Amino acid sequence: QVQLVESGGGLVKPGGSLRLSCAASGFTFSDYYMSWIRQAPGMGLEWVSYISSSGSTIYYADSVKGRFTISRDNAKNSLSLQMNSLRAEDTAVYYCAREWLRFNYWGQGTLVTVSS
Amino acid sequence: QSVLTQPPSVSGAPGQRVTISCTGSSSNIGAGYDVHWYQQLPGIAPKLLIYGNSNRPSGVPDRFSGSKSGTSASLAITGLQAEDEADYYCQSYDSSLSVVFGGGTKLTVL
């Protein structure tokens, strides 16, 4: 069965960096676009970024453009999100999800807290 | 401010029918992009409820249905049950090459 497991969340100071990972299993990872979606505490869902199956096509939400970098390692069935210059408003649960036009599989999420 | 507009809350008694609207624009729903709906129970990841405007994934009861017209879409839930109490989100794609979500609607079963 499809499994997506995020890791790497934690507490970081404003201006700091964090790298999230998502381990995928149960499907042919290299066949699918992958996405990151976040949810601030008590708030709605916000799309962050997606990456094509080969990694050649990448898009970001304006709110993270220039600060976050999405990448993937198809040999390791792994998706990553490098987050730099973190701000308080980046505090959220970060989910990895399969595909990009609709999300039929989600991970359990990892919490990122940006606070001094 | 979300690109797609949903009512913050709706409510209904068990057995009743409720609808949740999702209003977009000519650059997303009105441009022909599909609308998808998610159900999020407290503390867990969202679950795909309706895809491609009106299709149900395997395992989703037929009490849930979706429709789309022009720049809007709707989710209808009939025969409301206590377990339906959750947050519901619509989602589509925008011509700006971004994925867009509604702000979410909290469904309360009275």
Side-chain angles (χ1 to χ4, degrees):
Chain A
Q1 72 283 19
V2 173
Q3 271 204 309
L4 300 169
V5 180
E6 302 93 338
S7 60
L11 175 64
V12 61
K13 290 182 168 51
S17 298
L18 211 55
R19 186 177 183 88
L20 305 183
S21 296
C22 172
S25 60
F27 65 102
T28 304
F29 182 72
S30 57
D31 283 350
Y32 290 88
Y33 276 55
M34 296 294 295
S35 301
W36 287 100
I37 297 156
R38 68 184 180 182
Q39 186 171 33
M43 304 295 285
L45 301 169
E46 180 187 16
W47 167 73
V48 173
S49 179
Y50 63 74
I51 185 169
S52 63
S53 52
S54 66
S56 59
T57 300
I58 288 173
Y59 286 102
Y60 299 98
D62 287 344
S63 57
V64 307
K65 202 173 296 183
R67 300 187 299 122
F68 290 11
T69 302
I70 191 172
S71 62
R72 65 189 297 159
D73 185 335
N74 285 342
K76 296 182 178 178
N77 293 342
S78 178
L79 175 73
S80 296
L81 186 69
Q82 176 67 42
M83 304 186 295
N84 298 331
S85 303
L86 283 162
R87 308 165 179 167
E89 55 264 35
D90 295 319
T91 294
V93 173
Y94 285 74
Y95 296 101
C96 73
R98 198 178 80 170
E99 300 192 61
W100 63 300
L101 288 176
R102 71 170 186 254
F103 310 106
N104 52 356
Y105 293 101
W106 300 63
Q108 84 288 352
T110 186
L111 176 62
V112 172
T113 303
V114 184
S115 174
S116 55
Chain B
Q1 184 108 0
S2 300
V3 174
L4 304 181
T5 301
Q6 298 180 234
S9 63
V10 297
S11 63
Q16 284 190 332
R17 178 181 186 269
V18 296
T19 62
I20 299 172
S21 61
C22 174
T23 303
S25 68
S26 59
S27 66
N28 40 69
I29 298 176
Y33 295 111
D34 284 344
V35 177
H36 317 291
W37 291 89
Y38 302 87
Q39 177 192 60
Q40 187 177 32
L41 297 171
I44 67 173
K47 165 192 164 185
L48 182 65
L49 196 64
I50 296 288
Y51 69 93
N53 307 315
S54 59
N55 302 291
R56 286 185 309 277
S58 173
V60 173
D62 59 7
R63 301 187 296 104
F64 295 90
S65 63
S67 64
K68 173 189 161 183
S69 178
T71 59
S72 296
S74 288
L75 173 70
I77 310 172
T78 59
L80 208 55
Q81 299 180 4
E83 69 215 47
D84 299 333
E85 189 159 289
D87 294 327
Y88 292 84
Y89 294 90
C90 61
Q91 176 251 311
S92 186
Y93 189 71
D94 193 272
S95 301
S96 62
L97 304 178
S98 61
V99 175
V100 290
F101 283 97
T105 299
K106 182 176 181 59
L107 169 62
T108 300
V109 180
L110 302 171

